[in-house]
PDB file of all heavy atoms in Angstrom:
ATOM      1  N   GLY A1492     -38.121  88.729-177.693  1.00  0.00           N
ATOM      2  CA  GLY A1492     -38.043  89.612-178.838  1.00  0.00           C
ATOM      3  C   GLY A1492     -37.590  90.986-178.399  1.00  0.00           C
ATOM      4  O   GLY A1492     -38.289  91.617-177.583  1.00  0.00           O
ATOM      5  N   ILE A1493     -36.622  91.518-179.005  1.00  0.00           N
ATOM      6  CA  ILE A1493     -36.061  92.838-178.605  1.00  0.00           C
ATOM      7  C   ILE A1493     -36.189  93.950-179.627  1.00  0.00           C
ATOM      8  O   ILE A1493     -36.183  95.092-179.345  1.00  0.00           O
ATOM      9  CB  ILE A1493     -34.674  92.719-178.076  1.00  0.00           C
ATOM     10  CG1 ILE A1493     -33.611  92.165-179.183  1.00  0.00           C
ATOM     11  CG2 ILE A1493     -34.576  91.976-176.751  1.00  0.00           C
ATOM     12  CD1 ILE A1493     -32.186  92.240-178.747  1.00  0.00           C
ATOM     13  N   SER A1494     -36.202  93.537-180.903  1.00  0.00           N
ATOM     14  CA  SER A1494     -36.361  94.562-182.000  1.00  0.00           C
ATOM     15  C   SER A1494     -36.859  93.935-183.265  1.00  0.00           C
ATOM     16  O   SER A1494     -36.650  92.755-183.516  1.00  0.00           O
ATOM     17  CB  SER A1494     -35.059  95.285-182.154  1.00  0.00           C
ATOM     18  OG  SER A1494     -35.155  96.357-182.925  1.00  0.00           O
ATOM     19  N   ARG A1495     -37.353  94.776-184.052  1.00  0.00           N
ATOM     20  CA  ARG A1495     -37.887  94.334-185.372  1.00  0.00           C
ATOM     21  C   ARG A1495     -37.808  95.540-186.318  1.00  0.00           C
ATOM     22  O   ARG A1495     -38.023  96.687-185.950  1.00  0.00           O
ATOM     23  CB  ARG A1495     -39.279  93.743-185.262  1.00  0.00           C
ATOM     24  CG  ARG A1495     -40.120  93.610-186.583  1.00  0.00           C
ATOM     25  CD  ARG A1495     -41.033  94.765-186.807  1.00  0.00           C
ATOM     26  NE  ARG A1495     -41.726  94.746-188.046  1.00  0.00           N
ATOM     27  CZ  ARG A1495     -42.359  95.750-188.616  1.00  0.00           C
ATOM     28  NH1 ARG A1495     -42.366  96.934-187.949  1.00  0.00           N
ATOM     29  NH2 ARG A1495     -42.942  95.596-189.838  1.00  0.00           N
ATOM     30  N   ILE A1496     -37.459  95.158-187.586  1.00  0.00           N
ATOM     31  CA  ILE A1496     -37.503  96.147-188.650  1.00  0.00           C
ATOM     32  C   ILE A1496     -38.245  95.731-189.863  1.00  0.00           C
ATOM     33  O   ILE A1496     -38.173  94.546-190.161  1.00  0.00           O
ATOM     34  CB  ILE A1496     -35.992  96.609-189.024  1.00  0.00           C
ATOM     35  CG1 ILE A1496     -35.912  97.824-189.943  1.00  0.00           C
ATOM     36  CG2 ILE A1496     -35.258  95.339-189.615  1.00  0.00           C
ATOM     37  CD1 ILE A1496     -34.595  98.379-190.085  1.00  0.00           C
ATOM     38  N   SER A1497     -38.928  96.637-190.415  1.00  0.00           N
ATOM     39  CA  SER A1497     -39.742  96.238-191.579  1.00  0.00           C
ATOM     40  C   SER A1497     -38.873  95.978-192.810  1.00  0.00           C
ATOM     41  O   SER A1497     -37.738  96.314-192.790  1.00  0.00           O
ATOM     42  CB  SER A1497     -40.825  97.319-191.915  1.00  0.00           C
ATOM     43  OG  SER A1497     -40.081  98.647-192.285  1.00  0.00           O
ATOM     44  N   ALA A1498     -39.509  95.463-193.882  1.00  0.00           N
ATOM     45  CA  ALA A1498     -38.739  95.189-195.082  1.00  0.00           C
ATOM     46  C   ALA A1498     -38.115  96.430-195.709  1.00  0.00           C
ATOM     47  O   ALA A1498     -37.016  96.353-196.192  1.00  0.00           O
ATOM     48  CB  ALA A1498     -39.721  94.506-196.109  1.00  0.00           C
ATOM     49  N   SER A1499     -38.745  97.542-195.662  1.00  0.00           N
ATOM     50  CA  SER A1499     -38.255  98.829-196.220  1.00  0.00           C
ATOM     51  C   SER A1499     -37.216  99.489-195.302  1.00  0.00           C
ATOM     52  O   SER A1499     -36.514 100.380-195.721  1.00  0.00           O
ATOM     53  CB  SER A1499     -39.337  99.730-196.593  1.00  0.00           C
ATOM     54  OG  SER A1499     -39.939 100.179-195.327  1.00  0.00           O
ATOM     55  N   GLY A1500     -37.350  99.076-194.030  1.00  0.00           N
ATOM     56  CA  GLY A1500     -36.501  99.833-193.050  1.00  0.00           C
ATOM     57  C   GLY A1500     -37.203 100.989-192.438  1.00  0.00           C
ATOM     58  O   GLY A1500     -36.648 101.650-191.604  1.00  0.00           O
ATOM     59  N   GLY A1501     -38.435 101.288-192.918  1.00  0.00           N
ATOM     60  CA  GLY A1501     -39.192 102.445-192.439  1.00  0.00           C
ATOM     61  C   GLY A1501     -39.797 102.403-191.069  1.00  0.00           C
ATOM     62  O   GLY A1501     -40.274 103.384-190.503  1.00  0.00           O
ATOM     63  N   SER A1502     -39.931 101.205-190.589  1.00  0.00           N
ATOM     64  CA  SER A1502     -40.647 100.970-189.391  1.00  0.00           C
ATOM     65  C   SER A1502     -39.846 100.088-188.497  1.00  0.00           C
ATOM     66  O   SER A1502     -39.332  99.006-188.964  1.00  0.00           O
ATOM     67  CB  SER A1502     -42.022 100.291-189.685  1.00  0.00           C
ATOM     68  OG  SER A1502     -42.670  99.807-188.430  1.00  0.00           O
ATOM     69  N   THR A1503     -39.684 100.453-187.260  1.00  0.00           N
ATOM     70  CA  THR A1503     -38.839  99.677-186.246  1.00  0.00           C
ATOM     71  C   THR A1503     -39.642  99.544-184.915  1.00  0.00           C
ATOM     72  O   THR A1503     -40.495 100.424-184.693  1.00  0.00           O
ATOM     73  CB  THR A1503     -37.529 100.324-185.922  1.00  0.00           C
ATOM     74  OG1 THR A1503     -37.740 101.667-185.460  1.00  0.00           O
ATOM     75  CG2 THR A1503     -36.717 100.302-187.206  1.00  0.00           C
ATOM     76  N   ASN A1504     -39.376  98.565-184.252  1.00  0.00           N
ATOM     77  CA  ASN A1504     -39.971  98.310-182.952  1.00  0.00           C
ATOM     78  C   ASN A1504     -38.908  97.855-181.981  1.00  0.00           C
ATOM     79  O   ASN A1504     -37.961  97.181-182.283  1.00  0.00           O
ATOM     80  CB  ASN A1504     -41.039  97.216-183.039  1.00  0.00           C
ATOM     81  CG  ASN A1504     -42.104  97.488-184.052  1.00  0.00           C
ATOM     82  OD1 ASN A1504     -41.939  97.031-185.158  1.00  0.00           O
ATOM     83  ND2 ASN A1504     -43.076  98.283-183.690  1.00  0.00           N
ATOM     84  N   TYR A1505     -39.052  98.253-180.668  1.00  0.00           N
ATOM     85  CA  TYR A1505     -38.191  97.887-179.654  1.00  0.00           C
ATOM     86  C   TYR A1505     -38.905  97.413-178.375  1.00  0.00           C
ATOM     87  O   TYR A1505     -39.859  97.982-178.000  1.00  0.00           O
ATOM     88  CB  TYR A1505     -37.227  98.978-179.262  1.00  0.00           C
ATOM     89  CG  TYR A1505     -36.398  99.506-180.472  1.00  0.00           C
ATOM     90  CD1 TYR A1505     -36.738 100.493-181.210  1.00  0.00           C
ATOM     91  CD2 TYR A1505     -35.217  98.855-180.727  1.00  0.00           C
ATOM     92  CE1 TYR A1505     -35.983 100.936-182.340  1.00  0.00           C
ATOM     93  CE2 TYR A1505     -34.354  99.310-181.735  1.00  0.00           C
ATOM     94  CZ  TYR A1505     -34.695 100.321-182.585  1.00  0.00           C
ATOM     95  OH  TYR A1505     -34.010 100.751-183.569  1.00  0.00           O
ATOM     96  N   ALA A1506     -38.321  96.433-177.732  1.00  0.00           N
ATOM     97  CA  ALA A1506     -38.742  96.074-176.316  1.00  0.00           C
ATOM     98  C   ALA A1506     -38.337  97.216-175.345  1.00  0.00           C
ATOM     99  O   ALA A1506     -37.326  97.928-175.543  1.00  0.00           O
ATOM    100  CB  ALA A1506     -38.141  94.704-175.903  1.00  0.00           C
ATOM    101  N   ASP A1507     -39.158  97.357-174.366  1.00  0.00           N
ATOM    102  CA  ASP A1507     -38.865  98.399-173.376  1.00  0.00           C
ATOM    103  C   ASP A1507     -37.403  98.223-172.713  1.00  0.00           C
ATOM    104  O   ASP A1507     -36.743  99.216-172.401  1.00  0.00           O
ATOM    105  CB  ASP A1507     -39.852  98.329-172.249  1.00  0.00           C
ATOM    106  CG  ASP A1507     -41.234  98.940-172.699  1.00  0.00           C
ATOM    107  OD1 ASP A1507     -41.280  99.606-173.825  1.00  0.00           O
ATOM    108  OD2 ASP A1507     -42.182  98.678-172.037  1.00  0.00           O
ATOM    109  N   SER A1508     -36.997  96.956-172.651  1.00  0.00           N
ATOM    110  CA  SER A1508     -35.718  96.643-171.993  1.00  0.00           C
ATOM    111  C   SER A1508     -34.484  97.194-172.806  1.00  0.00           C
ATOM    112  O   SER A1508     -33.412  97.359-172.233  1.00  0.00           O
ATOM    113  CB  SER A1508     -35.633  95.201-171.869  1.00  0.00           C
ATOM    114  OG  SER A1508     -35.671  94.491-173.028  1.00  0.00           O
ATOM    115  N   VAL A1509     -34.724  97.540-173.995  1.00  0.00           N
ATOM    116  CA  VAL A1509     -33.602  97.961-174.847  1.00  0.00           C
ATOM    117  C   VAL A1509     -33.848  99.379-175.545  1.00  0.00           C
ATOM    118  O   VAL A1509     -32.938  99.910-176.183  1.00  0.00           O
ATOM    119  CB  VAL A1509     -33.175  96.939-176.051  1.00  0.00           C
ATOM    120  CG1 VAL A1509     -32.926  95.588-175.382  1.00  0.00           C
ATOM    121  CG2 VAL A1509     -34.325  96.883-177.050  1.00  0.00           C
ATOM    122  N   LYS A1510     -35.003  99.811-175.354  1.00  0.00           N
ATOM    123  CA  LYS A1510     -35.384 101.072-176.016  1.00  0.00           C
ATOM    124  C   LYS A1510     -34.475 102.183-175.615  1.00  0.00           C
ATOM    125  O   LYS A1510     -34.202 102.339-174.420  1.00  0.00           O
ATOM    126  CB  LYS A1510     -36.826 101.487-175.789  1.00  0.00           C
ATOM    127  CG  LYS A1510     -37.482 102.532-176.606  1.00  0.00           C
ATOM    128  CD  LYS A1510     -38.995 102.644-176.341  1.00  0.00           C
ATOM    129  CE  LYS A1510     -39.729 101.353-176.688  1.00  0.00           C
ATOM    130  NZ  LYS A1510     -41.182 101.415-176.470  1.00  0.00           N
ATOM    131  N   GLY A1511     -34.045 103.024-176.541  1.00  0.00           N
ATOM    132  CA  GLY A1511     -33.030 104.070-176.321  1.00  0.00           C
ATOM    133  C   GLY A1511     -31.649 103.716-176.202  1.00  0.00           C
ATOM    134  O   GLY A1511     -30.751 104.488-176.139  1.00  0.00           O
ATOM    135  N   ARG A1512     -31.358 102.387-176.194  1.00  0.00           N
ATOM    136  CA  ARG A1512     -29.975 101.883-176.117  1.00  0.00           C
ATOM    137  C   ARG A1512     -29.615 101.139-177.434  1.00  0.00           C
ATOM    138  O   ARG A1512     -28.437 101.240-177.828  1.00  0.00           O
ATOM    139  CB  ARG A1512     -29.693 100.996-174.915  1.00  0.00           C
ATOM    140  CG  ARG A1512     -29.989 101.696-173.613  1.00  0.00           C
ATOM    141  CD  ARG A1512     -29.650 100.835-172.384  1.00  0.00           C
ATOM    142  NE  ARG A1512     -30.379  99.509-172.352  1.00  0.00           N
ATOM    143  CZ  ARG A1512     -29.832  98.325-172.408  1.00  0.00           C
ATOM    144  NH1 ARG A1512     -28.523  98.188-172.451  1.00  0.00           N
ATOM    145  NH2 ARG A1512     -30.645  97.243-172.352  1.00  0.00           N
ATOM    146  N   PHE A1513     -30.509 100.378-177.984  1.00  0.00           N
ATOM    147  CA  PHE A1513     -30.226  99.583-179.148  1.00  0.00           C
ATOM    148  C   PHE A1513     -30.861 100.239-180.315  1.00  0.00           C
ATOM    149  O   PHE A1513     -32.010 100.857-180.299  1.00  0.00           O
ATOM    150  CB  PHE A1513     -30.888  98.228-179.000  1.00  0.00           C
ATOM    151  CG  PHE A1513     -30.118  97.320-177.984  1.00  0.00           C
ATOM    152  CD1 PHE A1513     -29.151  97.851-177.065  1.00  0.00           C
ATOM    153  CD2 PHE A1513     -30.472  96.009-177.883  1.00  0.00           C
ATOM    154  CE1 PHE A1513     -28.618  97.051-176.079  1.00  0.00           C
ATOM    155  CE2 PHE A1513     -29.756  95.155-176.911  1.00  0.00           C
ATOM    156  CZ  PHE A1513     -28.952  95.688-176.103  1.00  0.00           C
ATOM    157  N   THR A1514     -30.263 100.110-181.552  1.00  0.00           N
ATOM    158  CA  THR A1514     -30.815 100.564-182.732  1.00  0.00           C
ATOM    159  C   THR A1514     -30.653  99.503-183.830  1.00  0.00           C
ATOM    160  O   THR A1514     -29.581  98.944-184.074  1.00  0.00           O
ATOM    161  CB  THR A1514     -30.027 101.833-183.256  1.00  0.00           C
ATOM    162  OG1 THR A1514     -30.182 102.794-182.255  1.00  0.00           O
ATOM    163  CG2 THR A1514     -30.660 102.305-184.512  1.00  0.00           C
ATOM    164  N   ILE A1515     -31.846  99.127-184.408  1.00  0.00           N
ATOM    165  CA  ILE A1515     -31.787  98.202-185.582  1.00  0.00           C
ATOM    166  C   ILE A1515     -31.757  98.978-186.867  1.00  0.00           C
ATOM    167  O   ILE A1515     -32.339  99.991-187.084  1.00  0.00           O
ATOM    168  CB  ILE A1515     -33.112  97.263-185.446  1.00  0.00           C
ATOM    169  CG1 ILE A1515     -32.896  96.080-186.421  1.00  0.00           C
ATOM    170  CG2 ILE A1515     -34.361  98.155-185.663  1.00  0.00           C
ATOM    171  CD1 ILE A1515     -33.991  95.029-186.247  1.00  0.00           C
ATOM    172  N   SER A1516     -31.004  98.356-187.860  1.00  0.00           N
ATOM    173  CA  SER A1516     -30.998  98.937-189.141  1.00  0.00           C
ATOM    174  C   SER A1516     -30.747  97.914-190.198  1.00  0.00           C
ATOM    175  O   SER A1516     -30.470  96.770-189.859  1.00  0.00           O
ATOM    176  CB  SER A1516     -29.879  99.971-189.257  1.00  0.00           C
ATOM    177  OG  SER A1516     -28.616  99.490-189.035  1.00  0.00           O
ATOM    178  N   ARG A1517     -30.873  98.304-191.422  1.00  0.00           N
ATOM    179  CA  ARG A1517     -30.656  97.209-192.529  1.00  0.00           C
ATOM    180  C   ARG A1517     -30.043  97.877-193.711  1.00  0.00           C
ATOM    181  O   ARG A1517     -30.253  99.092-194.005  1.00  0.00           O
ATOM    182  CB  ARG A1517     -31.922  96.564-192.883  1.00  0.00           C
ATOM    183  CG  ARG A1517     -33.014  97.407-193.531  1.00  0.00           C
ATOM    184  CD  ARG A1517     -34.372  96.639-193.612  1.00  0.00           C
ATOM    185  NE  ARG A1517     -34.286  95.411-194.357  1.00  0.00           N
ATOM    186  CZ  ARG A1517     -35.016  94.323-194.256  1.00  0.00           C
ATOM    187  NH1 ARG A1517     -36.016  94.381-193.401  1.00  0.00           N
ATOM    188  NH2 ARG A1517     -34.851  93.342-195.009  1.00  0.00           N
ATOM    189  N   ASP A1518     -29.297  97.114-194.463  1.00  0.00           N
ATOM    190  CA  ASP A1518     -28.635  97.495-195.753  1.00  0.00           C
ATOM    191  C   ASP A1518     -29.127  96.413-196.763  1.00  0.00           C
ATOM    192  O   ASP A1518     -28.333  95.323-196.773  1.00  0.00           O
ATOM    193  CB  ASP A1518     -27.150  97.552-195.530  1.00  0.00           C
ATOM    194  CG  ASP A1518     -26.468  98.101-196.788  1.00  0.00           C
ATOM    195  OD1 ASP A1518     -27.048  98.037-197.973  1.00  0.00           O
ATOM    196  OD2 ASP A1518     -25.348  98.663-196.692  1.00  0.00           O
ATOM    197  N   ASN A1519     -30.133  96.663-197.376  1.00  0.00           N
ATOM    198  CA  ASN A1519     -30.584  95.624-198.338  1.00  0.00           C
ATOM    199  C   ASN A1519     -29.603  95.316-199.436  1.00  0.00           C
ATOM    200  O   ASN A1519     -29.568  94.243-199.989  1.00  0.00           O
ATOM    201  CB  ASN A1519     -31.980  95.968-198.838  1.00  0.00           C
ATOM    202  CG  ASN A1519     -33.130  95.735-197.863  1.00  0.00           C
ATOM    203  OD1 ASN A1519     -32.865  95.199-196.794  1.00  0.00           O
ATOM    204  ND2 ASN A1519     -34.254  96.227-198.149  1.00  0.00           N
ATOM    205  N   ALA A1520     -28.843  96.290-199.822  1.00  0.00           N
ATOM    206  CA  ALA A1520     -27.810  96.073-200.836  1.00  0.00           C
ATOM    207  C   ALA A1520     -26.784  95.032-200.446  1.00  0.00           C
ATOM    208  O   ALA A1520     -26.246  94.311-201.271  1.00  0.00           O
ATOM    209  CB  ALA A1520     -27.117  97.496-201.181  1.00  0.00           C
ATOM    210  N   LYS A1521     -26.563  95.057-199.090  1.00  0.00           N
ATOM    211  CA  LYS A1521     -25.558  94.023-198.561  1.00  0.00           C
ATOM    212  C   LYS A1521     -26.333  92.786-197.952  1.00  0.00           C
ATOM    213  O   LYS A1521     -25.686  91.929-197.453  1.00  0.00           O
ATOM    214  CB  LYS A1521     -24.768  94.664-197.434  1.00  0.00           C
ATOM    215  CG  LYS A1521     -23.805  95.784-197.941  1.00  0.00           C
ATOM    216  CD  LYS A1521     -22.912  96.372-196.893  1.00  0.00           C
ATOM    217  CE  LYS A1521     -22.086  97.387-197.444  1.00  0.00           C
ATOM    218  NZ  LYS A1521     -21.157  97.956-196.274  1.00  0.00           N
ATOM    219  N   ASN A1522     -27.589  92.773-198.064  1.00  0.00           N
ATOM    220  CA  ASN A1522     -28.406  91.728-197.560  1.00  0.00           C
ATOM    221  C   ASN A1522     -28.017  91.415-196.160  1.00  0.00           C
ATOM    222  O   ASN A1522     -27.938  90.285-195.658  1.00  0.00           O
ATOM    223  CB  ASN A1522     -28.130  90.408-198.421  1.00  0.00           C
ATOM    224  CG  ASN A1522     -29.399  89.595-198.564  1.00  0.00           C
ATOM    225  OD1 ASN A1522     -30.525  90.037-198.535  1.00  0.00           O
ATOM    226  ND2 ASN A1522     -29.202  88.236-198.866  1.00  0.00           N
ATOM    227  N   THR A1523     -28.028  92.587-195.353  1.00  0.00           N
ATOM    228  CA  THR A1523     -27.666  92.482-193.950  1.00  0.00           C
ATOM    229  C   THR A1523     -28.353  93.339-193.075  1.00  0.00           C
ATOM    230  O   THR A1523     -28.741  94.418-193.505  1.00  0.00           O
ATOM    231  CB  THR A1523     -26.029  92.808-193.864  1.00  0.00           C
ATOM    232  OG1 THR A1523     -25.274  91.955-194.657  1.00  0.00           O
ATOM    233  CG2 THR A1523     -25.555  92.669-192.375  1.00  0.00           C
ATOM    234  N   ILE A1524     -28.635  92.827-191.798  1.00  0.00           N
ATOM    235  CA  ILE A1524     -29.330  93.596-190.824  1.00  0.00           C
ATOM    236  C   ILE A1524     -28.366  93.826-189.689  1.00  0.00           C
ATOM    237  O   ILE A1524     -27.453  92.987-189.348  1.00  0.00           O
ATOM    238  CB  ILE A1524     -30.522  92.719-190.243  1.00  0.00           C
ATOM    239  CG1 ILE A1524     -31.362  92.268-191.446  1.00  0.00           C
ATOM    240  CG2 ILE A1524     -31.329  93.576-189.350  1.00  0.00           C
ATOM    241  CD1 ILE A1524     -31.960  93.305-192.299  1.00  0.00           C
ATOM    242  N   TYR A1525     -28.445  95.039-188.988  1.00  0.00           N
ATOM    243  CA  TYR A1525     -27.544  95.311-187.955  1.00  0.00           C
ATOM    244  C   TYR A1525     -28.285  95.524-186.644  1.00  0.00           C
ATOM    245  O   TYR A1525     -29.439  96.017-186.685  1.00  0.00           O
ATOM    246  CB  TYR A1525     -26.743  96.524-188.267  1.00  0.00           C
ATOM    247  CG  TYR A1525     -25.948  96.408-189.524  1.00  0.00           C
ATOM    248  CD1 TYR A1525     -26.411  96.957-190.756  1.00  0.00           C
ATOM    249  CD2 TYR A1525     -24.769  95.695-189.586  1.00  0.00           C
ATOM    250  CE1 TYR A1525     -25.720  96.784-191.892  1.00  0.00           C
ATOM    251  CE2 TYR A1525     -24.064  95.543-190.794  1.00  0.00           C
ATOM    252  CZ  TYR A1525     -24.542  96.141-191.871  1.00  0.00           C
ATOM    253  OH  TYR A1525     -23.844  95.962-193.112  1.00  0.00           O
ATOM    254  N   LEU A1526     -27.673  95.357-185.457  1.00  0.00           N
ATOM    255  CA  LEU A1526     -28.168  95.811-184.232  1.00  0.00           C
ATOM    256  C   LEU A1526     -27.033  96.491-183.534  1.00  0.00           C
ATOM    257  O   LEU A1526     -26.102  95.767-183.002  1.00  0.00           O
ATOM    258  CB  LEU A1526     -28.699  94.544-183.417  1.00  0.00           C
ATOM    259  CG  LEU A1526     -29.403  94.972-182.148  1.00  0.00           C
ATOM    260  CD1 LEU A1526     -30.712  95.658-182.329  1.00  0.00           C
ATOM    261  CD2 LEU A1526     -29.602  93.733-181.227  1.00  0.00           C
TER     262      LEU A1526
END
């Protein structure tokens, strides 16, 4: 598991192996999540 984002997008989590390099986000209008 490397990242997680809450339903609202207000909370994110990252594994140490990717922290600072990867960013998770979401666009609920497009029903799509990005990494």
